[in-house]
Amino acid sequence: DGVEEAFYSTNRVLSLSLHKYGDGFFPGTGFYKDIGISSGKYHSINFPFNDGIDDDGYFRVYKSIIDTIFERYKPSVVVLQCGADSLTQDRIGVFNISTKGHGKIVEYMKNKYNHNGSNHVPMLIIGGGGYNIKNVARLWCYETSILCNQSQNISNTIPYSDFINYYKPNFKLHVESDKSMQNKNTQKYLSDMTNKILQQIKSIEIVPSIQINSERIPLLNDDQDDDL
């Protein structure tokens, strides 16, 4: 919500947030009609999930929306915040996402938009919220392995260290979805909400890139460079 607020009135940055909304859930922002103001209208995109969203539904919604954003807005750089409070077993979050399901989005963004030849877009990956610290560490470890092209090689068994007892009783890297948790996001709800968001994205005007004027940037000679 803080990121969205910072850019709520500008079209230079488009923010996309997938989150729990309603039922008094903190911080109470993120209704799908919260779309920005002034020149930033339509540039804040909020997808409100109900409790229990799983890997499949989360990824299908994200993929549909992010692909449409790239087609329409054509961002020149991406900041991807990997909040861990969407994982199952979070103390505050109410989603049912596994580490592999969460990492699938990071892998998709890396392969399609960051490591894709002419479609290469610079990307900054950062952490985010999470209220089960053991699972936050698990997630960031796994997603780092994805970014380093090592996700197929990393072991699911956490190696011994001074902190090994934090990961008992199974000492495993991956957190699995809770099969007993109810998914309150029906297929109709996900489809209808996705269509509303896609209509919002179609209202975005293409924002022109700002070119750097290299003539205004003085070149340093060797003597000046040494002084610095």
Side-chain angles (χ1 to χ4, degrees):
D1 53 319
V3 174
E4 176 182 293
E5 183 178 353
F7 302 104
Y8 205 60
S9 61
T10 178
N11 60 4
R12 303 310 305 176
V13 175
L14 184 148
S15 64
L16 167 64
S17 178
L18 285 71
H19 49 257
K20 162 70 177 178
Y21 174 79
D23 301 327
F25 194 79
F26 179 84
T29 57
F31 188 44
Y32 81 94
K33 290 186 178 180
D34 296 341
I35 61 175
I37 59 175
S38 186
S39 61
K41 189 175 182 181
Y42 305 122
H43 290 74
S44 291
I45 300 175
N46 289 283
F47 194 104
F49 285 111
N50 298 315
D51 294 7
I53 187 66
D54 58 16
D55 291 353
D56 180 64
Y58 196 86
F59 180 76
R60 284 190 291 106
V61 166
Y62 183 86
K63 180 179 181 299
S64 178
I65 293 176
I66 200 68
D67 286 349
T68 306
I69 287 173
F70 267 82
E71 292 171 4
R72 182 70 183 173
Y73 189 70
K74 302 183 186 303
S76 57
V77 64
V78 171
V79 177
L80 181 61
Q81 183 181 29
C82 303
D85 49 356
S86 55
L87 287 180
T88 188
Q89 301 176 18
D90 190 81
R91 294 184 178 184
I92 295 180
V94 290
F95 290 172
N96 196 20
I97 310 295
S98 69
T99 47
K100 288 187 176 179
H102 199 287
K104 187 176 181 180
I105 287 179
V106 175
E107 186 171 30
Y108 180 77
M109 293 297 292
K110 177 176 76 76
N111 292 339
K112 182 160 186 178
Y113 295 113
N114 184 246
H115 288 183
N116 191 19
S118 60
N119 291 328
H120 174 86
V121 176
M123 195 172 301
L124 175 64
I125 313 294
I126 59 177
Y131 303 94
N132 183 327
I133 192 63
K134 296 174 289 186
N135 290 347
V136 172
R138 286 179 164 106
L139 179 68
W140 290 353
C141 176
Y142 175 59
E143 293 186 339
T144 299
S145 77
I146 292 174
L147 297 171
C148 295
N149 299 317
Q150 294 297 317
S151 60
Q152 300 301 315
N153 300 324
I154 192 170
S155 173
N156 190 35
T157 301
I158 296 175
Y160 180 82
S161 72
D162 292 342
F163 307 98
I164 190 65
N165 286 330
Y166 284 100
Y167 303 99
K168 60 185 181 184
N170 61 11
F171 306 103
K172 298 298 182 183
L173 172 66
H174 286 292
V175 180
E176 304 294 337
S177 299
D178 183 354
K179 295 181 180 179
S180 66
M181 187 174 186
Q182 180 185 2
N183 186 352
K184 297 182 180 180
N185 300 270
T186 64
Q187 293 300 319
K188 183 178 186 305
Y189 173 79
L190 295 178
S191 177
D192 289 349
M193 185 59 65
T194 299
N195 288 335
K196 291 176 181 178
I197 299 299
L198 296 183
Q199 286 299 316
Q200 174 187 338
I201 297 172
K202 290 180 180 179
S203 300
I204 295 174
E205 294 185 7
I206 304 300
V207 179
S209 298
I210 298 177
Q211 300 296 324
I212 296 177
N213 187 348
S214 58
E215 295 180 357
R216 295 186 178 182
I217 302 177
L219 297 178
L220 298 178
N221 57 38
D222 291 339
D223 292 337
Q224 289 175 305
D225 190 45
D226 291 340
D227 292 338
L228 294 177

